Amino acid sequence: MGSARIVVIGTGYVGLTTGACLASLGHRVTCVDVDSLKVARLAAGQVDILEPGLEELVSRGLATGRLDFVVGSRQAVVDAEAVFLCVPTPMGAGGAADLRAVEAVIDEVAGALPPGCAVITKSTVPVGTAQRIRGLLGRTDVPVVANPEFLREGTAVGDFLNPDRIVVGSDDQPAAHWVAGLYADLAAPSVVTDAASAELVKYAANCFLAMKLSYVNAVAELCERLGADIESVTEGMGYDRRIGRSFLKPGPGWGGSCLPKDTHALVQVAESVGFDFSLLSAAIQENIAQRDRIVAKIAGAVGGSLAGARVGVLGLAFKAGTNDLRDSPALSVTAMLAAHGAEVTAYDPAVGGEQPGMRIVDDPYQTAKGADAIVVLTEWDEFRRLDWTYVAELMHGDAVVDTRNLLDPQSVLSAGLSWLGLGRPRARVLAP
């Protein structure tokens, strides 16, 4: 396929990555946003999202003239061949996806779209959204296509340019195949199907990963009670090709911009057709229980009560490599610590400013000053390289609670501190 004239509406993680990457594939891309200041910064090559490689791609697209940024969707789409909808679809009332941003865009562009222009949902949307958009458009000459994204924050550019698969669905099969052709230069299998199936693929994949994470967190708890080691257990599981190694690391719970809203949304979709998706509901409840267990573990490490305890927190972003705080399990845990009367001091290499219920510092060692416990909540590599002897000198207590099993326990123990991970038996960790 040759170069296509593409409009991407929305410049968040998904929209900006989509626009910059499509431009790198040779397409002519206009990215649209309602925020004029943000558009001006992007047009000057200034990217505020922490995403490796993204700023370079944006700069290259601007330099080649294949990428530009504007305010206002209606004028931007008048000569478009494809319009990607990359607007927020947050969790709404009762857990269902809130599609007001999608509907607002459709209302704005419906009359301006040229005949044959494909309207493509890139944002995660419930099954039936393509059909709903067709009704809102009120046009039979504009195909609607579902093309879900599978981008991980922190590796979004690599995921886009080296995908596991490309999923495209539409009840207009020629349009679906044309959209799949936009990715022709990428060496990845394509799944071209109907719209409902494509929409469900994204939810089914994300919810499976959420259940896998809840499962391994539950197994880690079982390991602690039975004296087993979660690292040995997951190693033994991971060699099974039917299971694989990914998403088998215990942690303080899953979060971020996708898994919480997608799990709740799929439960709502299931309920709308009379299906009780109790398996997925249990995974959501297990995720809530995991955060309660983490707080209880921290309380135990400081003597049983968090009232008046000084807790130093390492990591606030929902995962390393990003500055995204949306539904971060670290924020949930710190909020619970503060609610129990703890004094929280936190550091994250990508997060500054102010957060309720805690003091943010710009040096990881400042979290240790007078602390009764240090808690690792995000798996930043730099925490592995801390001078734990110095940390011990700064602390009042000696507890290090590693909710990511990130640190080398011996390095912590050699500094005279105690180390407590997830699913790791204390007796085995403390053995010389």
Side-chain angles (χ1 to χ4, degrees):
M1 169 182 284
S3 173
R5 178 73 179 90
I6 295 172
V7 172
V8 175
I9 300 178
T11 61
Y13 275 98
V14 174
L16 188 56
T17 302
T18 297
C21 288
L22 285 172
S24 76
L25 296 178
H27 301 296
R28 294 164 295 139
V29 182
T30 294
C31 291
V32 180
D33 204 282
V34 296
D35 186 337
S36 58
L37 293 178
K38 184 178 183 181
V39 166
R41 287 179 59 80
L42 289 170
Q46 299 174 11
V47 175
D48 297 326
I49 296 171
L50 180 60
E51 194 63 54
L54 184 55
E55 187 167 0
E56 292 80 358
L57 272 188
V58 169
S59 296
R60 194 181 314 157
L62 291 168
T64 60
R66 289 197 296 265
L67 180 65
D68 68 325
F69 297 90
V70 302
V71 176
S73 302
R74 187 174 179 84
Q75 185 59 39
V77 304
V78 294
D79 62 347
E81 295 175 83
V83 173
F84 282 83
L85 304 181
C86 301
V87 295
T89 54
M91 190 189 310
D98 184 344
L99 297 180
R100 284 179 293 179
V102 173
E103 293 167 351
V105 169
I106 295 302
D107 183 61
E108 182 176 354
V109 304
L113 294 166
C117 175
V119 173
I120 305 160
T121 54
K122 200 71 173 170
S123 302
T124 302
V125 294
V127 178
T129 300
Q131 183 177 1
R132 184 174 178 179
I133 289 174
R134 282 197 301 272
L136 292 172
L137 284 170
R139 296 178 57 173
T140 59
D141 61 342
V142 174
V144 180
V145 181
N147 175 214
E149 52 85 15
F150 300 98
L151 307 178
R152 298 167 297 170
E153 291 185 34
T155 58
V157 171
D159 290 342
F160 191 103
L161 298 176
N162 301 280
D164 293 326
R165 77 291 203 194
I166 294 162
V167 176
V168 182
S170 178
D171 296 337
D172 183 331
Q173 283 294 285
H177 284 281
W178 182 84
V179 171
L182 296 174
Y183 304 94
D185 290 343
L186 303 180
S190 293
V191 178
V192 179
T193 181
D194 60 276
S197 297
E199 289 166 342
L200 187 54
V201 166
K202 177 62 184 291
Y203 280 106
N206 273 1
C207 292
F208 181 83
L209 296 177
M211 290 191 290
K212 195 173 182 182
L213 287 169
S214 285
Y215 180 78
V216 78
N217 281 336
V219 172
E221 177 67 16
L222 196 57
C223 284
E224 292 183 17
R225 300 189 184 198
L226 296 176
D229 188 330
I230 189 63
E231 291 198 352
S232 296
V233 172
T234 55
E235 181 183 11
M237 293 170 62
Y239 281 116
D240 189 326
R241 287 172 293 185
R242 298 169 301 175
I243 297 172
R245 296 177 181 275
S246 64
F247 284 73
L248 283 184
K249 287 187 177 295
W254 38 266
S257 61
C258 293
L259 297 189
K261 73 180 183 67
D262 290 355
T263 49
H264 283 89
L266 189 56
V267 167
Q268 289 293 313
V269 168
E271 288 180 356
S272 73
V273 291
F275 177 63
D276 179 11
F277 205 154
S278 55
L279 182 63
L280 183 54
S281 297
I284 296 171
Q285 292 305 310
E286 172 60 30
N287 194 48
I288 296 171
Q290 180 68 359
R291 299 176 189 189
D292 292 334
R293 287 195 291 263
I294 294 297
V295 172
K297 188 183 292 287
I298 298 167
V302 298
S305 173
L306 287 165
R310 292 186 173 183
V311 180
V313 167
L314 296 175
L316 292 173
F318 90 94
K319 63 180 287 190
T322 177
N323 56 0
D324 196 347
L325 296 174
R326 287 176 291 179
D327 276 307
S328 171
L331 289 186
S332 294
V333 170
T334 53
M336 294 168 71
L337 292 173
H340 283 82
E343 180 183 321
V344 179
T345 302
Y347 166 80
D348 188 291
V351 177
E354 298 181 358
Q355 293 295 327
M358 72 186 82
R359 180 170 69 98
I360 304 292
V361 295
D362 59 6
D363 184 315
Y365 294 108
Q366 292 182 50
T367 66
K369 291 182 178 179
D372 296 298
I374 293 291
V375 183
V376 178
L377 289 174
T378 309
E379 69 281 20
W380 289 100
D381 243 5
E382 72 173 74
F383 299 154
R384 303 177 193 265
R385 300 187 293 272
L386 292 178
D387 182 342
W388 289 100
T389 299
Y390 182 46
V391 170
E393 293 173 1
L394 295 171
M395 290 181 68
H396 173 264
D398 67 356
V400 176
V401 182
D402 185 359
T403 73
R404 297 285 186 170
N405 290 347
L406 175 74
L407 309 176
D408 173 19
Q410 195 56 50
S411 296
V412 177
L413 298 171
S414 296
L417 300 170
S418 67
W419 180 88
L420 184 61
L422 298 190
R424 306 292 307 280
R426 183 185 291 271
R428 192 174 301 170
V429 169
L430 294 177

